[in-house]
Amino acid sequence: MSDKLAEFTAFRQRMNERILAEDNQVVRRFFALDTQTYKAGALDVKTKEMLGLVASLVLRCDDCISYHVAQCKDAGVERDAFFEVFSVGLVVGGSIVIPHLRRAVDLLDQLESGAGNDTAACADHAGIDPI
């Protein structure tokens, strides 16, 4: 795993655990809602992660983009499909999305080269049960 991805993954995991350790039902329920949203239903996980990636690109959230690129890769999204997803995000979000698109493609290249093999470790949604 690249240093950047490893650092990102460790930080997200550590902070999610820290946040969920607090006795705040609103926060815990929101995290649980997020977890439930990305589970398979009428839409499969792969589709939901691609939707999450488009929304993240449009909202210009680099952490979210990194997370969803990794999750999409784990779900089996192929490179050509990634670029269709990137195209939708770019058309909806406009040229301001381009810097975020660059970082998304850089991460995808790292994942495809094997530099970021352990994408499951950055799972935000894993292990958060509904409350």
Side-chain angles (χ1 to χ4, degrees):
M1 180 185 310
S2 72
D3 289 342
K4 184 178 174 182
L5 184 58
E7 183 180 317
F8 168 74
T9 298
F11 177 76
R12 285 182 82 104
Q13 245 175 344
R14 184 178 82 248
M15 292 312 300
N16 283 351
E17 289 171 9
R18 170 68 183 93
I19 291 165
L20 290 170
E22 294 293 324
D23 186 24
N24 184 298
Q25 290 300 310
V26 173
V27 171
R28 296 174 98 193
R29 287 180 176 150
F30 188 86
F31 272 59
L33 176 64
D34 185 65
T35 299
Q36 294 302 308
T37 298
Y38 285 91
K39 288 187 176 182
L43 297 175
D44 61 13
V45 170
K46 184 175 173 179
T47 301
K48 288 183 175 188
E49 290 298 342
M50 289 187 291
L51 290 168
L53 180 53
V54 167
S56 298
L57 284 163
V58 172
L59 293 171
R60 301 181 312 272
C61 175
D62 285 330
D63 281 1
C64 301
I65 293 166
S66 295
Y67 173 77
H68 288 291
V69 166
Q71 292 303 107
C72 283
K73 186 73 178 148
D74 280 351
V77 175
E78 300 289 332
R79 189 172 188 85
D80 58 342
F82 267 107
F83 275 85
E84 288 190 23
V85 169
F86 295 155
S87 296
V88 172
L90 186 57
V91 166
V92 173
S95 62
I96 199 165
V97 169
I98 292 172
H100 305 279
L101 177 61
R102 289 182 188 121
R103 288 187 281 276
V105 172
D106 181 53
L107 176 58
L108 177 60
D109 289 345
Q110 290 176 42
L111 292 172
E112 288 181 340
S113 73
N117 290 346
D118 188 15
T119 58
C122 72
D124 239 3
H125 310 295
I128 303 170
D129 294 320
I131 297 178

